[in-house]
Amino acid sequence: MKTLSRTEDRVPAAPGRLRAAWRAAHAPVPGVSRRTRALAYAVPFTVLPAGLWRLPAAFDAGIGIGERVYIVFLSLFSEAVAFTAIGLVARWGEVVPSWVPALRGRRIPPAVVLVPAALGAAALTLLWTVLALATEIMGTTIRGDALPADFPSEQGGWMAFSYYACYAPLVLWGPLLAVLTVAYGRRRARGETP
């Protein structure tokens, strides 16, 4: 009987599985232009700086556990929602992935994707492109109250610079999603599906 050496007795991890899953999630369907694909891949990066900017606040000494969980959840959830924009150019936005038990392989009706994407684009554009810019120009909160003195944009210096640098990309989230939604609708109307 052959004895196994130290390197042979370990079960090798499957780095190919992760790489294959990554490629499958990002592979565009036929008919998607390079420009549209680049816009879809850019959407998560419009959200990432704001999420990273918020995370240190989760570890401040003066906040409770509920606020910590909320901050981390908000950052992760925002990034996950932004990632769904890639579905507007990828196969999983048109055909249910094979890992979904009851629905695998079924074609997704365009309206199931277009309605939430259009509503999301409108809401994000209203929130981050219109309201955020308007309240920043007026120096108020969304409710119309004056900004508190400890608000990052009111503190000046590096705090204000980092705040603006991290939150400014959010202005693009809604409009980019709108462009991708229109491109998805046109492509599906032409019948270019996997």
Side-chain angles (χ1 to χ4, degrees):
M1 179 172 193
K2 181 182 171 188
T3 58
L4 298 174
S5 68
R6 291 182 79 69
T7 57
E8 290 178 89
D9 63 351
R10 284 186 247 148
V11 176
R17 293 184 81 177
L18 181 60
R19 187 174 297 132
W22 180 266
R23 285 187 183 139
H26 291 82
V29 294
V32 174
S33 69
R34 290 181 72 160
R35 188 176 312 164
T36 304
R37 186 172 50 215
L39 291 178
Y41 296 157
V43 169
F45 290 106
T46 64
V47 178
L48 184 62
L52 293 175
W53 188 87
R54 275 190 303 267
L55 283 179
F59 302 102
D60 279 350
I63 66 170
I65 188 72
E67 289 175 294
R68 290 174 200 259
V69 170
Y70 171 74
I71 291 169
V72 171
F73 173 78
L74 179 62
S75 296
L76 294 175
F77 181 74
S78 298
E79 198 60 38
V81 169
F83 181 78
T84 62
I86 295 173
L88 295 171
V89 299
R91 179 173 166 79
W92 56 271
E94 298 183 12
V95 177
V96 178
S98 61
W99 54 267
V100 177
L103 302 174
R104 69 179 58 147
R106 291 191 180 158
R107 295 177 53 75
I108 300 171
V112 170
V113 174
L114 288 171
V115 170
L119 291 173
L124 291 167
T125 301
L126 177 65
L127 177 65
W128 292 113
T129 308
V130 177
L131 288 177
L133 286 176
T135 57
E136 191 60 40
I137 290 168
M138 294 185 308
T140 63
T141 65
I142 291 176
R143 292 182 182 169
D145 303 330
L147 289 175
D150 63 345
F151 196 75
S153 66
E154 298 295 304
Q155 292 183 4
W158 284 105
M159 180 63 84
F161 175 78
S162 67
Y163 169 76
Y164 286 124
C166 291
Y167 274 85
L170 287 173
V171 171
L172 299 173
W173 190 5
L176 287 176
L177 187 58
V179 169
L180 292 168
T181 302
V182 169
Y184 177 90
R186 287 182 178 168
R187 189 179 68 253
R188 293 294 302 266
R190 288 192 310 256
E192 296 176 11
T193 56

